[in-house]
Amino acid sequence: MTDILFKNAKLVDPEAGTVTTGALVVRAGRIAGRLTQDAELNAEKTATANFSQVVDCQRKYLAPGIVDVGVKVCEPGERHKESFGSAGLAAAAGGVTTMVTRPDTDPVIDNPETLEFVIRRAREAAPVNVLPMAALTKGRQGREMTEIGFLLDAGAVAFTDCDQVIADSKVFARALTYARSLGALVLGHPQDPGLSTGAAATSGKFASLRGLPAVSPMAERMGLDRDIAMVEMTGARYHADQITVARALPPLERAKNNGFDITAGTSIHHLALNALDVSDYRTFFKIKPPLRDEEDRVAIAEAVRTGLIDVISSMHTPQDEESKRLPFEAAASGAVALETLLPAAMRLFHADQIDLPTLWRAMSLNPAKRLGLETGRLAVGAPADLVLFDPHAPFVMDRATLHSKSRNTPFDGARMQGKVLETFVAGRSVYKRD
């Protein structure tokens, strides 16, 4: 472990809601202090004596590393799509210092043995922190709940069946009640499964003109209403993984005002893209839930700004070329986003929709708090998980340069701004741009 001085930095503090010029002191992998600009100049004079490493940030932005909830790593079962090694490199290159991974693997992570394998592989291969979630029901089939207590003891940080909605409310209520007794966090996917099955687009004139099977935005509202009722009945800790339509916001706000233990997230794709982006049937734009109308995108961005929606995540979902080179309706859903999360979020910043501290509140502080982690902040004593970035650096996204094994990004060829310059985990550099 080395003592590091990050000097000449613009510090993005999501707790204080500020961006200030100064320096950060790191000792033994943790933040040991912050210096104002004047104090930084004095510290610089004695840097050689007091610090074994000095990082000149050159007036670029230094922020807590991103905590990304809902990353799919395809081990076990589909390592050709994504491994912990490739996902870890992609995360580091994207400023993500903690990946919270999904259990929708093959086989499903629904028992302690599979979970222990995942944890061991992550430690061996990934340069960033990896925290696995486990399935809520066995095989994600919605019939019998998993051994939540044993999985908690084995290292699961939360429980979810991902996009496989538990249709049987009695099974869901039983799982929530058991999770509540253990203090476990449950992630739900708010969709009415009957309405949303087979949908490739959001219903409306555009989907009709394109001849795409579509789902009404009300399917999300109905799914969220059901989940909120279950939370009210059981008192469970609940997080809605993706809120993507304006009609879901009023019940979410009422649930929070009623004191329910509920938080909500959204994906970066639903904040940066809209339904019209699928106009040429490019399957890289097919995600789940489908891209929404521009009015919904604007409403969701505003909900992030006000704090009604707590978390922004990548919902990183690798798919191989064969799964995407199909007609739009038949193609697999999902997009990789570990490396595009930050530059896509900068679209909101440059459009003056959301400022940097608020973005980092949603991408780092809030997910860390929801999972009980120490990271996500610049406070003294917090782990030195940090990202140094330039929000103004322009580039054209080339999917061939991505570190992920699968390169199914909707941003291929897009003009973007925002480059990660260096990423640190516990004060150790895990990525540095050439």
Side-chain angles (χ1 to χ4, degrees), residues 19-87:
V19 178
T20 57
T21 302
L24 204 66
V25 178
V26 171
R27 290 193 174 94
R30 291 183 175 268
I31 297 171
R34 288 171 61 173
L35 305 174
T36 63
Q37 192 168 11
D38 292 338
E40 177 186 350
L41 294 174
N42 294 328
E44 186 177 355
K45 296 176 182 178
T46 58
T48 303
N50 294 334
F51 300 99
S52 54
Q53 182 180 355
V54 177
V55 178
D56 187 353
C57 299
Q58 299 180 348
R59 297 288 177 135
K60 299 302 186 286
Y61 291 75
L62 188 67
I66 296 170
V67 179
D68 193 3
V69 179
V71 174
K72 181 171 183 178
V73 179
C74 304
E75 286 192 72
E78 297 177 302
R79 197 169 182 272
H80 66 285
K81 292 185 179 181
E82 194 79 287
S83 66
F84 279 106
S86 61

Side-chain angles (χ1 to χ4, degrees), residues 46 97 101 114 116 123-124 134 144 174 179 189 266 291 332 378 394 433:
T46 58
T97 54
T101 59
T114 306
E116 288 166 0
R123 287 174 179 169
E124 292 170 352
E144 183 181 358
R174 187 180 299 122
H189 183 71
T266 194
L291 291 173
L378 296 183
R433 180 174 291 275

Side-chain angles (χ1 to χ4, degrees), residues 256-281:
K256 287 191 168 189
N257 289 340
N258 287 335
F260 300 159
D261 193 350
I262 182 171
T263 51
T266 194
S267 87
I268 190 59
H269 296 118
H270 290 97
L271 289 169
L273 303 169
N274 66 31
L276 297 180
D277 286 305
V278 304
S279 59
D280 58 358
Y281 298 101

Side-chain angles (χ1 to χ4, degrees), residues 111-134:
N111 60 78
E113 293 77 20
T114 306
L115 180 62
E116 288 166 0
F117 164 80
V118 165
I119 292 172
R120 183 173 65 253
R121 282 290 299 134
R123 287 174 179 169
E124 292 170 352
V128 301
N129 303 311
V130 178
L131 302 176
M133 296 187 286

Side-chain angles (χ1 to χ4, degrees), residues 5-346:
L5 174 66
F6 292 89
K7 69 173 186 176
N8 200 22
K10 292 184 179 179
L11 302 173
V12 180
D13 188 337
E15 280 189 301
T18 59
V19 178
T20 57
T21 302
L24 204 66
V25 178
V26 171
R27 290 193 174 94
R30 291 183 175 268
I31 297 171
R34 288 171 61 173
L35 305 174
T36 63
Q37 192 168 11
D38 292 338
E40 177 186 350
L41 294 174
N42 294 328
E44 186 177 355
K45 296 176 182 178
T46 58
T48 303
N50 294 334
F51 300 99
S52 54
Q53 182 180 355
V54 177
V55 178
D56 187 353
C57 299
Q58 299 180 348
R59 297 288 177 135
K60 299 302 186 286
Y61 291 75
L62 188 67
I66 296 170
V67 179
D68 193 3
V69 179
V71 174
K72 181 171 183 178
V73 179
C74 304
E75 286 192 72
E78 297 177 302
R79 197 169 182 272
H80 66 285
K81 292 185 179 181
E82 194 79 287
S83 66
F84 279 106
S86 61
L89 291 174
V96 175
T97 54
T98 300
M99 295 191 296
V100 183
T101 59
R102 303 195 322 241
D104 52 341
T105 50
D106 184 17
V108 175
I109 302 172
D110 61 1
N111 60 78
E113 293 77 20
T114 306
L115 180 62
E116 288 166 0
F117 164 80
V118 165
I119 292 172
R120 183 173 65 253
R121 282 290 299 134
R123 287 174 179 169
E124 292 170 352
V128 301
N129 303 311
V130 178
L131 302 176
M133 296 187 286
L136 189 60
T137 66
K138 293 183 179 180
R140 299 196 303 130
Q141 295 180 358
R143 293 196 292 264
E144 183 181 358
M145 69 179 179
T146 55
E147 295 286 355
I148 296 175
F150 290 153
L151 288 162
L152 276 175
D153 292 342
V157 297
F159 296 83
T160 178
D161 277 0
C162 306
D163 59 0
Q164 195 71 29
V165 178
I166 300 175
D168 190 326
S169 294
K170 183 175 288 187
V171 172
F172 191 39
R174 187 180 299 122
L176 286 174
T177 300
Y178 194 64
R180 168 68 178 86
S181 70
L182 297 171
L185 177 65
V186 172
L187 273 68
H189 183 71
Q191 286 290 317
D192 180 276
L195 290 174
S196 58
T197 299
T202 299
S203 61
K205 182 179 179 180
F206 179 78
S208 298
L209 289 173
R210 289 296 183 272
L212 296 173
V215 59
S216 168
M218 284 302 294
E220 183 172 304
R221 164 70 180 272
M222 292 164 64
L224 182 62
D225 282 339
R226 193 281 299 255
D227 287 5
I228 289 173
M230 294 289 102
V231 171
E232 181 178 8
M233 183 172 72
T234 63
R237 299 175 61 219
Y238 175 85
H239 176 79
D241 65 352
Q242 293 188 81
I243 298 297
T244 64
V245 298
R247 290 181 179 181
L249 296 176
L252 174 63
E253 185 172 19
R254 286 195 298 271
K256 287 191 168 189
N257 289 340
N258 287 335
F260 300 159
D261 193 350
I262 182 171
T263 51
T266 194
S267 87
I268 190 59
H269 296 118
H270 290 97
L271 289 169
L273 303 169
N274 66 31
L276 297 180
D277 286 305
V278 304
S279 59
D280 58 358
Y281 298 101
R282 286 187 63 195
T283 57
F284 285 176
F285 288 90
K286 185 181 181 184
I287 60 175
K288 189 182 291 186
L291 291 173
R292 305 302 194 181
D293 294 337
E294 176 65 7
E295 293 79 6
D296 287 315
R297 188 198 69 79
V298 171
I300 296 303
E302 176 63 13
V304 172
R305 189 191 67 80
T306 62
L308 178 58
I309 290 180
D310 307 87
V311 173
I312 299 172
S313 61
S314 71
M315 294 308 293
H316 179 83
T317 305
Q319 299 288 3
D320 54 26
E321 296 288 332
E322 291 73 18
S323 300
K324 284 292 188 179
R325 287 179 177 171
L326 294 169
F328 196 91
E329 181 179 347
S333 297
V336 294
L338 282 167
E339 291 173 78
T340 56
L341 173 56
L342 187 147
M346 291 305 98

Side-chain angles (χ1 to χ4, degrees), residues 61 93-95 339-347 349-350 356 360 387-397 415-421 433:
Y61 291 75
E339 291 173 78
T340 56
L341 173 56
L342 187 147
M346 291 305 98
R347 289 185 170 187
F349 168 64
H350 291 300
L356 290 178
W360 255 262
V387 55
L388 179 66
F389 69 101
D390 181 353
H392 305 291
F395 68 101
V396 176
M397 172 56 64
R415 297 181 182 274
M416 307 186 81
Q417 283 182 280
K419 289 184 178 180
V420 173
L421 305 177
R433 180 174 291 275

